[in-house]
Amino acid sequence: MNKKSPMLIHSIESFQHGIEHFFDGTPLGRKFAILHIDHAIELLLKERVVLLGKSIYRADGLTLSVHETLNSLKEVSIPEKPRLQEIHDLRNTIQHKGITPDELTTDFYIEVAYEFFKRFSVEEMGLQVDEIIASRFIRLFDRKYIIPDQKTVPSIDFNHDASPTENIINGYAVLEKHLKDWQYRNPDLKTLRGTIYNLVEENGYDKDQVKQNLAYIFGLRGRVVKSEYEPTYEELVEYLNNINGILLMMNVSKDKI
């Protein structure tokens, strides 16, 4: 691709601006990093829709939402789709509830966005990596995201300094970050549920119990990020206990506890 459209140029600029905010290391930088990078992803996806000869406008004249855009790209392989939807949900929560994501949550989703943007731009848009992001940022990412070799069992505590919504989002990000590390070391493990089920059964636990844990986690998180609902303290404690329980079962054999 030689000539870039205005929308694609805007996407790349928003992505680079988001990365700059991310590396400034401040709470405000974390917020704007997610906002700008989500916008960049939305524009990149819409550019791909246009290249397929489809319209990015709905019948009412408004442009497609992120979820509608992803549905318009069913013929395009986007294995990152669930995580991209989560990034957009996080963007909405930041914008409408005023939360500030913690460092781990921001790190996780920016890493996902970075890997997607780089892959999709090269494979689907015909761009070169140096057209997408400055080399100094590529070097920073390559140093920052080194997958640990050894098994660790993270534990999530209730953060009284954070809002209920922030606790929900941050706890879920810890679970996903740990799963992503496992999937990096075990390429055959691809989906979130599949990875969890594989690991807990390997360690001698009942998959049906884990299904109940996940149903509670997904259910409460969905209510919080997609509505004005604010969970109770008791709900948050149960939510974090469910996540911690899954993390333990993924890492520790049943006969060792």
Side-chain angles (χ1 to χ4, degrees), residues 83-111:
R83 304 291 83 77
L84 300 183
Q85 292 173 319
E86 288 168 9
I87 291 171
H88 190 64
D89 288 340
L90 177 56
R91 171 264 183 198
N92 286 341
T93 309
I94 290 170
Q95 184 152 302
H96 301 305
K97 294 191 176 183
I99 75 157
T100 299
D102 69 0
E103 291 183 10
L104 186 146
T105 300
T106 308
D107 281 4
F108 173 73
Y109 284 117
I110 295 297
E111 176 186 358

PDB file of all heavy atoms in Angstrom, residues 83-111:
ATOM      1  N   ARG A  83     -10.305  -9.691  22.896  1.00  0.00           N
ATOM      2  CA  ARG A  83      -9.512  -8.716  23.645  1.00  0.00           C
ATOM      3  C   ARG A  83      -9.746  -7.303  23.125  1.00  0.00           C
ATOM      4  O   ARG A  83      -9.751  -6.343  23.905  1.00  0.00           O
ATOM      5  CB  ARG A  83      -8.014  -9.049  23.536  1.00  0.00           C
ATOM      6  CG  ARG A  83      -7.605 -10.441  23.980  1.00  0.00           C
ATOM      7  CD  ARG A  83      -7.735 -10.672  25.454  1.00  0.00           C
ATOM      8  NE  ARG A  83      -9.100 -11.022  25.837  1.00  0.00           N
ATOM      9  CZ  ARG A  83      -9.647 -12.223  25.660  1.00  0.00           C
ATOM     10  NH1 ARG A  83      -8.958 -13.182  25.108  1.00  0.00           N
ATOM     11  NH2 ARG A  83     -10.876 -12.464  26.050  1.00  0.00           N
ATOM     12  N   LEU A  84      -9.943  -7.139  21.818  1.00  0.00           N
ATOM     13  CA  LEU A  84     -10.227  -5.812  21.266  1.00  0.00           C
ATOM     14  C   LEU A  84     -11.551  -5.288  21.802  1.00  0.00           C
ATOM     15  O   LEU A  84     -11.686  -4.091  22.090  1.00  0.00           O
ATOM     16  CB  LEU A  84     -10.267  -5.864  19.736  1.00  0.00           C
ATOM     17  CG  LEU A  84      -8.997  -6.324  19.019  1.00  0.00           C
ATOM     18  CD1 LEU A  84      -9.185  -6.235  17.507  1.00  0.00           C
ATOM     19  CD2 LEU A  84      -7.785  -5.520  19.455  1.00  0.00           C
ATOM     20  N   GLN A  85     -12.525  -6.171  21.947  1.00  0.00           N
ATOM     21  CA  GLN A  85     -13.814  -5.762  22.517  1.00  0.00           C
ATOM     22  C   GLN A  85     -13.651  -5.361  23.980  1.00  0.00           C
ATOM     23  O   GLN A  85     -14.305  -4.420  24.451  1.00  0.00           O
ATOM     24  CB  GLN A  85     -14.821  -6.897  22.362  1.00  0.00           C
ATOM     25  CG  GLN A  85     -15.206  -7.160  20.908  1.00  0.00           C
ATOM     26  CD  GLN A  85     -16.066  -8.395  20.729  1.00  0.00           C
ATOM     27  OE1 GLN A  85     -15.814  -9.425  21.363  1.00  0.00           O
ATOM     28  NE2 GLN A  85     -17.057  -8.320  19.867  1.00  0.00           N
ATOM     29  N   GLU A  86     -12.767  -6.055  24.697  1.00  0.00           N
ATOM     30  CA  GLU A  86     -12.515  -5.697  26.087  1.00  0.00           C
ATOM     31  C   GLU A  86     -11.823  -4.340  26.189  1.00  0.00           C
ATOM     32  O   GLU A  86     -12.107  -3.551  27.104  1.00  0.00           O
ATOM     33  CB  GLU A  86     -11.671  -6.777  26.764  1.00  0.00           C
ATOM     34  CG  GLU A  86     -12.439  -8.064  27.014  1.00  0.00           C
ATOM     35  CD  GLU A  86     -11.538  -9.208  27.421  1.00  0.00           C
ATOM     36  OE1 GLU A  86     -10.343  -8.957  27.677  1.00  0.00           O
ATOM     37  OE2 GLU A  86     -12.022 -10.351  27.476  1.00  0.00           O
ATOM     38  N   ILE A  87     -10.906  -4.060  25.278  1.00  0.00           N
ATOM     39  CA  ILE A  87     -10.252  -2.754  25.262  1.00  0.00           C
ATOM     40  C   ILE A  87     -11.292  -1.659  25.055  1.00  0.00           C
ATOM     41  O   ILE A  87     -11.261  -0.605  25.709  1.00  0.00           O
ATOM     42  CB  ILE A  87      -9.165  -2.692  24.171  1.00  0.00           C
ATOM     43  CG1 ILE A  87      -7.988  -3.601  24.543  1.00  0.00           C
ATOM     44  CG2 ILE A  87      -8.664  -1.257  23.964  1.00  0.00           C
ATOM     45  CD1 ILE A  87      -6.972  -3.777  23.436  1.00  0.00           C
ATOM     46  N   HIS A  88     -12.236  -1.906  24.136  1.00  0.00           N
ATOM     47  CA  HIS A  88     -13.272  -0.907  23.884  1.00  0.00           C
ATOM     48  C   HIS A  88     -14.189  -0.756  25.096  1.00  0.00           C
ATOM     49  O   HIS A  88     -14.595   0.375  25.429  1.00  0.00           O
ATOM     50  CB  HIS A  88     -14.085  -1.295  22.648  1.00  0.00           C
ATOM     51  CG  HIS A  88     -15.005  -0.204  22.187  1.00  0.00           C
ATOM     52  ND1 HIS A  88     -14.550   1.015  21.725  1.00  0.00           N
ATOM     53  CD2 HIS A  88     -16.364  -0.138  22.144  1.00  0.00           C
ATOM     54  CE1 HIS A  88     -15.569   1.784  21.403  1.00  0.00           C
ATOM     55  NE2 HIS A  88     -16.685   1.107  21.653  1.00  0.00           N
ATOM     56  N   ASP A  89     -14.509  -1.854  25.762  1.00  0.00           N
ATOM     57  CA  ASP A  89     -15.306  -1.764  26.987  1.00  0.00           C
ATOM     58  C   ASP A  89     -14.558  -0.959  28.050  1.00  0.00           C
ATOM     59  O   ASP A  89     -15.163  -0.156  28.775  1.00  0.00           O
ATOM     60  CB  ASP A  89     -15.605  -3.163  27.532  1.00  0.00           C
ATOM     61  CG  ASP A  89     -16.619  -3.927  26.679  1.00  0.00           C
ATOM     62  OD1 ASP A  89     -17.357  -3.278  25.909  1.00  0.00           O
ATOM     63  OD2 ASP A  89     -16.654  -5.167  26.785  1.00  0.00           O
ATOM     64  N   LEU A  90     -13.238  -1.177  28.152  1.00  0.00           N
ATOM     65  CA  LEU A  90     -12.432  -0.424  29.115  1.00  0.00           C
ATOM     66  C   LEU A  90     -12.431   1.055  28.766  1.00  0.00           C
ATOM     67  O   LEU A  90     -12.559   1.919  29.637  1.00  0.00           O
ATOM     68  CB  LEU A  90     -11.005  -0.971  29.143  1.00  0.00           C
ATOM     69  CG  LEU A  90     -10.007  -0.242  30.062  1.00  0.00           C
ATOM     70  CD1 LEU A  90     -10.518  -0.199  31.495  1.00  0.00           C
ATOM     71  CD2 LEU A  90      -8.648  -0.903  29.987  1.00  0.00           C
ATOM     72  N   ARG A  91     -12.305   1.359  27.477  1.00  0.00           N
ATOM     73  CA  ARG A  91     -12.364   2.752  27.023  1.00  0.00           C
ATOM     74  C   ARG A  91     -13.674   3.402  27.445  1.00  0.00           C
ATOM     75  O   ARG A  91     -13.702   4.536  27.946  1.00  0.00           O
ATOM     76  CB  ARG A  91     -12.186   2.793  25.509  1.00  0.00           C
ATOM     77  CG  ARG A  91     -12.438   4.174  24.891  1.00  0.00           C
ATOM     78  CD  ARG A  91     -13.855   4.288  24.374  1.00  0.00           C
ATOM     79  NE  ARG A  91     -14.115   5.555  23.731  1.00  0.00           N
ATOM     80  CZ  ARG A  91     -15.327   6.033  23.498  1.00  0.00           C
ATOM     81  NH1 ARG A  91     -16.401   5.347  23.864  1.00  0.00           N
ATOM     82  NH2 ARG A  91     -15.489   7.201  22.901  1.00  0.00           N
ATOM     83  N   ASN A  92     -14.785   2.684  27.254  1.00  0.00           N
ATOM     84  CA  ASN A  92     -16.089   3.230  27.625  1.00  0.00           C
ATOM     85  C   ASN A  92     -16.186   3.457  29.126  1.00  0.00           C
ATOM     86  O   ASN A  92     -16.744   4.451  29.593  1.00  0.00           O
ATOM     87  CB  ASN A  92     -17.206   2.285  27.176  1.00  0.00           C
ATOM     88  CG  ASN A  92     -17.428   2.319  25.678  1.00  0.00           C
ATOM     89  OD1 ASN A  92     -17.018   3.260  24.991  1.00  0.00           O
ATOM     90  ND2 ASN A  92     -18.071   1.288  25.145  1.00  0.00           N
ATOM     91  N   THR A  93     -15.620   2.530  29.902  1.00  0.00           N
ATOM     92  CA  THR A  93     -15.673   2.654  31.349  1.00  0.00           C
ATOM     93  C   THR A  93     -14.833   3.837  31.817  1.00  0.00           C
ATOM     94  O   THR A  93     -15.231   4.569  32.732  1.00  0.00           O
ATOM     95  CB  THR A  93     -15.180   1.354  32.016  1.00  0.00           C
ATOM     96  OG1 THR A  93     -15.876   0.239  31.461  1.00  0.00           O
ATOM     97  CG2 THR A  93     -15.436   1.382  33.513  1.00  0.00           C
ATOM     98  N   ILE A  94     -13.672   4.031  31.215  1.00  0.00           N
ATOM     99  CA  ILE A  94     -12.831   5.186  31.531  1.00  0.00           C
ATOM    100  C   ILE A  94     -13.574   6.484  31.212  1.00  0.00           C
ATOM    101  O   ILE A  94     -13.598   7.428  32.010  1.00  0.00           O
ATOM    102  CB  ILE A  94     -11.508   5.130  30.745  1.00  0.00           C
ATOM    103  CG1 ILE A  94     -10.622   3.992  31.262  1.00  0.00           C
ATOM    104  CG2 ILE A  94     -10.755   6.458  30.837  1.00  0.00           C
ATOM    105  CD1 ILE A  94      -9.405   3.722  30.391  1.00  0.00           C
ATOM    106  N   GLN A  95     -14.181   6.517  30.039  1.00  0.00           N
ATOM    107  CA  GLN A  95     -14.818   7.747  29.573  1.00  0.00           C
ATOM    108  C   GLN A  95     -16.099   8.067  30.334  1.00  0.00           C
ATOM    109  O   GLN A  95     -16.368   9.229  30.645  1.00  0.00           O
ATOM    110  CB  GLN A  95     -15.123   7.631  28.081  1.00  0.00           C
ATOM    111  CG  GLN A  95     -15.707   8.908  27.473  1.00  0.00           C
ATOM    112  CD  GLN A  95     -15.389   9.036  26.011  1.00  0.00           C
ATOM    113  OE1 GLN A  95     -14.222   9.041  25.616  1.00  0.00           O
ATOM    114  NE2 GLN A  95     -16.412   9.127  25.188  1.00  0.00           N
ATOM    115  N   HIS A  96     -16.885   7.045  30.656  1.00  0.00           N
ATOM    116  CA  HIS A  96     -18.194   7.298  31.248  1.00  0.00           C
ATOM    117  C   HIS A  96     -18.220   7.192  32.775  1.00  0.00           C
ATOM    118  O   HIS A  96     -19.098   7.789  33.411  1.00  0.00           O
ATOM    119  CB  HIS A  96     -19.228   6.340  30.658  1.00  0.00           C
ATOM    120  CG  HIS A  96     -19.354   6.449  29.172  1.00  0.00           C
ATOM    121  ND1 HIS A  96     -19.628   7.633  28.534  1.00  0.00           N
ATOM    122  CD2 HIS A  96     -19.223   5.531  28.183  1.00  0.00           C
ATOM    123  CE1 HIS A  96     -19.675   7.444  27.220  1.00  0.00           C
ATOM    124  NE2 HIS A  96     -19.423   6.167  26.987  1.00  0.00           N
ATOM    125  N   LYS A  97     -17.270   6.444  33.357  1.00  0.00           N
ATOM    126  CA  LYS A  97     -17.247   6.316  34.817  1.00  0.00           C
ATOM    127  C   LYS A  97     -16.046   6.999  35.443  1.00  0.00           C
ATOM    128  O   LYS A  97     -15.912   7.048  36.664  1.00  0.00           O
ATOM    129  CB  LYS A  97     -17.278   4.835  35.222  1.00  0.00           C
ATOM    130  CG  LYS A  97     -18.582   4.132  34.868  1.00  0.00           C
ATOM    131  CD  LYS A  97     -18.682   2.757  35.517  1.00  0.00           C
ATOM    132  CE  LYS A  97     -20.024   2.107  35.242  1.00  0.00           C
ATOM    133  NZ  LYS A  97     -20.169   0.801  35.924  1.00  0.00           N
ATOM    134  N   GLY A  98     -15.144   7.503  34.608  1.00  0.00           N
ATOM    135  CA  GLY A  98     -14.014   8.280  35.108  1.00  0.00           C
ATOM    136  C   GLY A  98     -12.948   7.493  35.839  1.00  0.00           C
ATOM    137  O   GLY A  98     -12.185   8.053  36.630  1.00  0.00           O
ATOM    138  N   ILE A  99     -12.856   6.186  35.583  1.00  0.00           N
ATOM    139  CA  ILE A  99     -11.850   5.388  36.294  1.00  0.00           C
ATOM    140  C   ILE A  99     -10.463   5.602  35.700  1.00  0.00           C
ATOM    141  O   ILE A  99     -10.310   6.053  34.566  1.00  0.00           O
ATOM    142  CB  ILE A  99     -12.193   3.894  36.277  1.00  0.00           C
ATOM    143  CG1 ILE A  99     -11.913   3.293  34.889  1.00  0.00           C
ATOM    144  CG2 ILE A  99     -13.615   3.629  36.703  1.00  0.00           C
ATOM    145  CD1 ILE A  99     -11.690   1.808  34.900  1.00  0.00           C
ATOM    146  N   THR A 100      -9.453   5.256  36.470  1.00  0.00           N
ATOM    147  CA  THR A 100      -8.072   5.233  35.988  1.00  0.00           C
ATOM    148  C   THR A 100      -7.559   3.810  36.119  1.00  0.00           C
ATOM    149  O   THR A 100      -7.445   3.297  37.238  1.00  0.00           O
ATOM    150  CB  THR A 100      -7.179   6.175  36.807  1.00  0.00           C
ATOM    151  OG1 THR A 100      -7.667   7.509  36.686  1.00  0.00           O
ATOM    152  CG2 THR A 100      -5.736   6.126  36.303  1.00  0.00           C
ATOM    153  N   PRO A 101      -7.283   3.104  35.019  1.00  0.00           N
ATOM    154  CA  PRO A 101      -6.792   1.722  35.121  1.00  0.00           C
ATOM    155  C   PRO A 101      -5.441   1.666  35.809  1.00  0.00           C
ATOM    156  O   PRO A 101      -4.627   2.588  35.677  1.00  0.00           O
ATOM    157  CB  PRO A 101      -6.704   1.272  33.659  1.00  0.00           C
ATOM    158  CG  PRO A 101      -6.555   2.538  32.877  1.00  0.00           C
ATOM    159  CD  PRO A 101      -7.330   3.579  33.624  1.00  0.00           C
ATOM    160  N   ASP A 102      -5.199   0.609  36.573  1.00  0.00           N
ATOM    161  CA  ASP A 102      -3.897   0.488  37.227  1.00  0.00           C
ATOM    162  C   ASP A 102      -2.828   0.087  36.212  1.00  0.00           C
ATOM    163  O   ASP A 102      -3.119  -0.134  35.034  1.00  0.00           O
ATOM    164  CB  ASP A 102      -3.964  -0.484  38.405  1.00  0.00           C
ATOM    165  CG  ASP A 102      -4.164  -1.936  37.976  1.00  0.00           C
ATOM    166  OD1 ASP A 102      -4.246  -2.213  36.763  1.00  0.00           O
ATOM    167  OD2 ASP A 102      -4.248  -2.805  38.870  1.00  0.00           O
ATOM    168  N   GLU A 103      -1.583  -0.005  36.676  1.00  0.00           N
ATOM    169  CA  GLU A 103      -0.468  -0.257  35.762  1.00  0.00           C
ATOM    170  C   GLU A 103      -0.569  -1.619  35.099  1.00  0.00           C
ATOM    171  O   GLU A 103      -0.318  -1.754  33.894  1.00  0.00           O
ATOM    172  CB  GLU A 103       0.864  -0.117  36.512  1.00  0.00           C
ATOM    173  CG  GLU A 103       1.176   1.305  36.935  1.00  0.00           C
ATOM    174  CD  GLU A 103       2.526   1.422  37.612  1.00  0.00           C
ATOM    175  OE1 GLU A 103       3.304   0.433  37.574  1.00  0.00           O
ATOM    176  OE2 GLU A 103       2.811   2.486  38.181  1.00  0.00           O
ATOM    177  N   LEU A 104      -0.920  -2.660  35.866  1.00  0.00           N
ATOM    178  CA  LEU A 104      -0.984  -3.998  35.279  1.00  0.00           C
ATOM    179  C   LEU A 104      -2.069  -4.072  34.209  1.00  0.00           C
ATOM    180  O   LEU A 104      -1.846  -4.635  33.139  1.00  0.00           O
ATOM    181  CB  LEU A 104      -1.234  -5.042  36.369  1.00  0.00           C
ATOM    182  CG  LEU A 104      -1.177  -6.504  35.898  1.00  0.00           C
ATOM    183  CD1 LEU A 104      -0.613  -7.406  36.988  1.00  0.00           C
ATOM    184  CD2 LEU A 104      -2.552  -7.018  35.460  1.00  0.00           C
ATOM    185  N   THR A 105      -3.244  -3.515  34.511  1.00  0.00           N
ATOM    186  CA  THR A 105      -4.344  -3.537  33.542  1.00  0.00           C
ATOM    187  C   THR A 105      -3.946  -2.808  32.270  1.00  0.00           C
ATOM    188  O   THR A 105      -4.168  -3.294  31.155  1.00  0.00           O
ATOM    189  CB  THR A 105      -5.597  -2.884  34.149  1.00  0.00           C
ATOM    190  OG1 THR A 105      -5.983  -3.616  35.316  1.00  0.00           O
ATOM    191  CG2 THR A 105      -6.745  -2.863  33.151  1.00  0.00           C
ATOM    192  N   THR A 106      -3.354  -1.628  32.436  1.00  0.00           N
ATOM    193  CA  THR A 106      -2.926  -0.850  31.267  1.00  0.00           C
ATOM    194  C   THR A 106      -1.856  -1.597  30.492  1.00  0.00           C
ATOM    195  O   THR A 106      -1.920  -1.686  29.259  1.00  0.00           O
ATOM    196  CB  THR A 106      -2.394   0.529  31.698  1.00  0.00           C
ATOM    197  OG1 THR A 106      -3.367   1.163  32.528  1.00  0.00           O
ATOM    198  CG2 THR A 106      -2.123   1.404  30.481  1.00  0.00           C
ATOM    199  N   ASP A 107      -0.872  -2.134  31.191  1.00  0.00           N
ATOM    200  CA  ASP A 107       0.193  -2.896  30.528  1.00  0.00           C
ATOM    201  C   ASP A 107      -0.382  -4.026  29.692  1.00  0.00           C
ATOM    202  O   ASP A 107       0.013  -4.235  28.545  1.00  0.00           O
ATOM    203  CB  ASP A 107       1.155  -3.491  31.566  1.00  0.00           C
ATOM    204  CG  ASP A 107       2.156  -2.478  32.088  1.00  0.00           C
ATOM    205  OD1 ASP A 107       2.051  -1.296  31.705  1.00  0.00           O
ATOM    206  OD2 ASP A 107       3.027  -2.862  32.877  1.00  0.00           O
ATOM    207  N   PHE A 108      -1.307  -4.775  30.283  1.00  0.00           N
ATOM    208  CA  PHE A 108      -1.861  -5.934  29.588  1.00  0.00           C
ATOM    209  C   PHE A 108      -2.571  -5.525  28.306  1.00  0.00           C
ATOM    210  O   PHE A 108      -2.307  -6.079  27.232  1.00  0.00           O
ATOM    211  CB  PHE A 108      -2.823  -6.698  30.497  1.00  0.00           C
ATOM    212  CG  PHE A 108      -3.543  -7.805  29.782  1.00  0.00           C
ATOM    213  CD1 PHE A 108      -2.881  -8.965  29.423  1.00  0.00           C
ATOM    214  CD2 PHE A 108      -4.869  -7.666  29.424  1.00  0.00           C
ATOM    215  CE1 PHE A 108      -3.529  -9.986  28.730  1.00  0.00           C
ATOM    216  CE2 PHE A 108      -5.530  -8.670  28.735  1.00  0.00           C
ATOM    217  CZ  PHE A 108      -4.855  -9.832  28.391  1.00  0.00           C
ATOM    218  N   TYR A 109      -3.467  -4.548  28.396  1.00  0.00           N
ATOM    219  CA  TYR A 109      -4.253  -4.191  27.222  1.00  0.00           C
ATOM    220  C   TYR A 109      -3.445  -3.422  26.180  1.00  0.00           C
ATOM    221  O   TYR A 109      -3.696  -3.551  24.979  1.00  0.00           O
ATOM    222  CB  TYR A 109      -5.504  -3.424  27.636  1.00  0.00           C
ATOM    223  CG  TYR A 109      -6.556  -4.329  28.226  1.00  0.00           C
ATOM    224  CD1 TYR A 109      -6.974  -4.193  29.555  1.00  0.00           C
ATOM    225  CD2 TYR A 109      -7.121  -5.353  27.468  1.00  0.00           C
ATOM    226  CE1 TYR A 109      -7.929  -5.044  30.098  1.00  0.00           C
ATOM    227  CE2 TYR A 109      -8.071  -6.212  28.004  1.00  0.00           C
ATOM    228  CZ  TYR A 109      -8.469  -6.054  29.317  1.00  0.00           C
ATOM    229  OH  TYR A 109      -9.406  -6.904  29.851  1.00  0.00           O
ATOM    230  N   ILE A 110      -2.462  -2.660  26.616  1.00  0.00           N
ATOM    231  CA  ILE A 110      -1.602  -1.991  25.640  1.00  0.00           C
ATOM    232  C   ILE A 110      -0.740  -3.014  24.905  1.00  0.00           C
ATOM    233  O   ILE A 110      -0.504  -2.906  23.698  1.00  0.00           O
ATOM    234  CB  ILE A 110      -0.711  -0.920  26.313  1.00  0.00           C
ATOM    235  CG1 ILE A 110      -1.579   0.203  26.878  1.00  0.00           C
ATOM    236  CG2 ILE A 110       0.303  -0.365  25.320  1.00  0.00           C
ATOM    237  CD1 ILE A 110      -2.377   0.980  25.845  1.00  0.00           C
ATOM    238  N   GLU A 111      -0.284  -4.035  25.624  1.00  0.00           N
ATOM    239  CA  GLU A 111       0.485  -5.104  24.980  1.00  0.00           C
ATOM    240  C   GLU A 111      -0.369  -5.814  23.925  1.00  0.00           C
ATOM    241  O   GLU A 111       0.079  -6.058  22.801  1.00  0.00           O
ATOM    242  CB  GLU A 111       0.964  -6.114  26.017  1.00  0.00           C
ATOM    243  CG  GLU A 111       1.697  -7.302  25.412  1.00  0.00           C
ATOM    244  CD  GLU A 111       2.029  -8.370  26.439  1.00  0.00           C
ATOM    245  OE1 GLU A 111       1.731  -8.178  27.628  1.00  0.00           O
ATOM    246  OE2 GLU A 111       2.580  -9.406  26.026  1.00  0.00           O
TER     247      GLU A 111
END
